[in-house]
C-alpha cells in the first residue's frame, strides 16, 4: 500500500489501529507508519497524548522521525515528503480540549492538497485551501501559511522556532504550536508558546491531545 488510505481498501487492514509498512511511489524503500483504519485509513504524522516525548529536537531528528509509532512521535519529514508526493493528500489536525462533551471537546481543521517538498527545499509545505470541520462546536482558526519551510530551533527559517522550542511549519509570530510541551491536565492555555496551543478558535482552552493525519483525496470524499 502507498499509504493507510489505500490499505483501508483491503479487508486485511480493516478496523485496525496499528503499525504497518507502506511504500509510496518514488520512495526508495518501505516506510513504517501508524494507521488508524477506523475512519477511512488515516496516516499519522504526529501525535501527542501523554506529554512524555520531548519535541525540542534538531533538524536531523525531525527529518528522520522520533518517538514511538505506537505513542507520541513525529513520523519524519523525509517520510512525509514521499507520502504526500506519491498521491494527493489533505492534512487533518485533530485537537481534543477539556470541553463538557464530545461536541465541545473535539476540534478539527483540514488543509486540502497538502504537499511537503524535499529537503533541498527545506521541506516546504503547501496547500490549496483550509477550513474547520463545522460538525463540532470548536472551530480552530487558520494557523498554517502555505509555501512555508519547516523550522526547528537549530535551523529556524521562520524566526519562530526559537520561541516555540520545537519544530513545525511556523508562521512568525506563531499562531499555534502542535509540537510544543503537552500539558494534558491543564484546562486553559497559559500563553506559554513553548506549550502545545492553538491560539484562536478553541476559546483559550488547553489542548489535551493532538493528532495530525494525512488522508488521500479531499475531505468531501469521507462521510
Amino acid at each position: 500500500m502507498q499509504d493507510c488510505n489505500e490499505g483501508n481498501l483491503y479487508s486485511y487492514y480493516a478496523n485496525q489501529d496499528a503499525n504497518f509498512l507502506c511504500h509510496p511511489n518514488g520512495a526508495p524503500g518501505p516506510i513504517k507508519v501508524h494507521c488508524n483504519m477506523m475512519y477511512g485509513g488515516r496516516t499519522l504524522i504526529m501525535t501527542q497524548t501523554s506529554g512524555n516525548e520531548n519535541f525540542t529536537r534538531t533538524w536531523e531528528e525531525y527529518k528522520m522521525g522520533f518517538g514511538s509509532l505506537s505513542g507520541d512521535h513525529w513520523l519524519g519529514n523525509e517520510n512525509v515528503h514521499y507520502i504526500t508526493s506519491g498521491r494527493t493528500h489533505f492534512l487533518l489536525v485533530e485537537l481534543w480540549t477539556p470541553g463538557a462533551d464530545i461536541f465541545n471537546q473535539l476540534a478539527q481543521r483540514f488543509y486540502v492538497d497538502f504537499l511537503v517538498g524535499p529537503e533541498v527545499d527545506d521541506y516546504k509545505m503547501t496547500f490549496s485551501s483550509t477550513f474547520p470541520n463545522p460538525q463540532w462546536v470548536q472551530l480552530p482558526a487558520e494557523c498554517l501559511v502555505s509555501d512555508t519551510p519547516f523550522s526547528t530551533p537549530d535551523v529556524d527559517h521562520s524566526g519562530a522556532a526559537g520561541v516555540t522550542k520545537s519544530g513545525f511549519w511556523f508562521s512568525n509570530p506563531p499562531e499555534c504550536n502542535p509540537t510544543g510541551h503537552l500539558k494534558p491536565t491543564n484546562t486553559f492555555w497559559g500563553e506559554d508558546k513553548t506549550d502545545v496551543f492553538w491560539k484562536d478558535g478553541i476559546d483559550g482552552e488547553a489542548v489535551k491531545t493532538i493528532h495530525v493525519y494525512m488522508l488521500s483525496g479531499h475531505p468531501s470524499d469521507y462521510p
Side-chain angles (χ1 to χ4, degrees), residues 135-196:
Q135 179 178 354
W136 314 112
V137 174
Q138 304 274 31
L139 300 175
E142 174 55 74
C143 167
L144 301 181
V145 177
S146 186
D147 209 35
T148 297
F150 200 83
S151 288
T152 57
D154 62 324
V155 184
D156 192 358
H157 296 106
S158 64
V163 174
T164 61
K165 309 299 183 187
S166 58
F168 201 63
W169 296 279
F170 292 117
S171 58
N172 193 7
E175 297 296 315
C176 64
N177 184 8
T179 54
H181 181 203
L182 187 75
K183 296 179 178 177
T185 60
N186 284 11
T187 302
F188 293 98
W189 175 48
E191 303 290 330
D192 185 344
K193 292 187 176 180
T194 65
D195 292 344
V196 175

Side-chain angles (χ1 to χ4, degrees), residues 18-221:
N19 302 334
F20 298 104
L21 290 175
C22 70
H23 198 155
N25 289 338
I31 298 169
K32 193 172 185 180
V33 297
H34 189 91
C35 298
N36 184 331
M37 297 298 193
M38 291 176 283
Y39 301 99
R42 300 176 177 182
T43 306
L44 197 57
I45 291 180
M46 68 150 289
T47 187
Q48 287 209 71
T49 60
S50 68
N52 293 330
E53 185 64 49
N54 177 19
F55 280 74
T56 301
R57 302 281 191 142
T58 65
W59 178 270
E60 189 66 18
E61 288 172 302
Y62 272 97
K63 171 184 176 178
M64 303 308 297
F66 55 84
S68 168
L69 283 178
S70 298
D72 293 1
H73 72 277
W74 181 265
L75 179 59
N77 290 338
E78 195 75 357
N79 294 332
V80 176
H81 161 62
Y82 283 121
I83 292 171
T84 59
S85 298
R87 302 206 296 169
T88 300
H89 284 77
F90 66 91
L91 189 74
L92 167 59
V93 178
E94 184 172 281
L95 312 170
W96 288 85
T97 69
D101 53 42
I102 188 171
F103 292 100
N104 289 277
Q105 293 168 355
L106 180 57
Q108 296 175 320
R109 190 168 189 99
F110 302 109
Y111 293 85
V112 180
D113 297 324
F114 174 74
L115 177 65
V116 172
E119 185 176 22
V120 68
D121 292 328
D122 302 319
Y123 297 118
K124 185 177 291 185
M125 173 275 305
T126 59
F127 60 88
S128 62
S129 62
T130 178
F131 53 91
N133 187 342
Q135 179 178 354
W136 314 112
V137 174
Q138 304 274 31
L139 300 175
E142 174 55 74
C143 167
L144 301 181
V145 177
S146 186
D147 209 35
T148 297
F150 200 83
S151 288
T152 57
D154 62 324
V155 184
D156 192 358
H157 296 106
S158 64
V163 174
T164 61
K165 309 299 183 187
S166 58
F168 201 63
W169 296 279
F170 292 117
S171 58
N172 193 7
E175 297 296 315
C176 64
N177 184 8
T179 54
H181 181 203
L182 187 75
K183 296 179 178 177
T185 60
N186 284 11
T187 302
F188 293 98
W189 175 48
E191 303 290 330
D192 185 344
K193 292 187 176 180
T194 65
D195 292 344
V196 175
F197 76 92
W198 203 278
K199 185 176 179 182
D200 296 316
I202 61 171
D203 300 328
E205 291 189 320
V207 175
K208 298 176 70 69
T209 298
I210 181 167
H211 307 294
V212 181
Y213 300 102
M214 296 174 285
L215 292 91
S216 65
H218 187 276
S220 62
D221 298 334

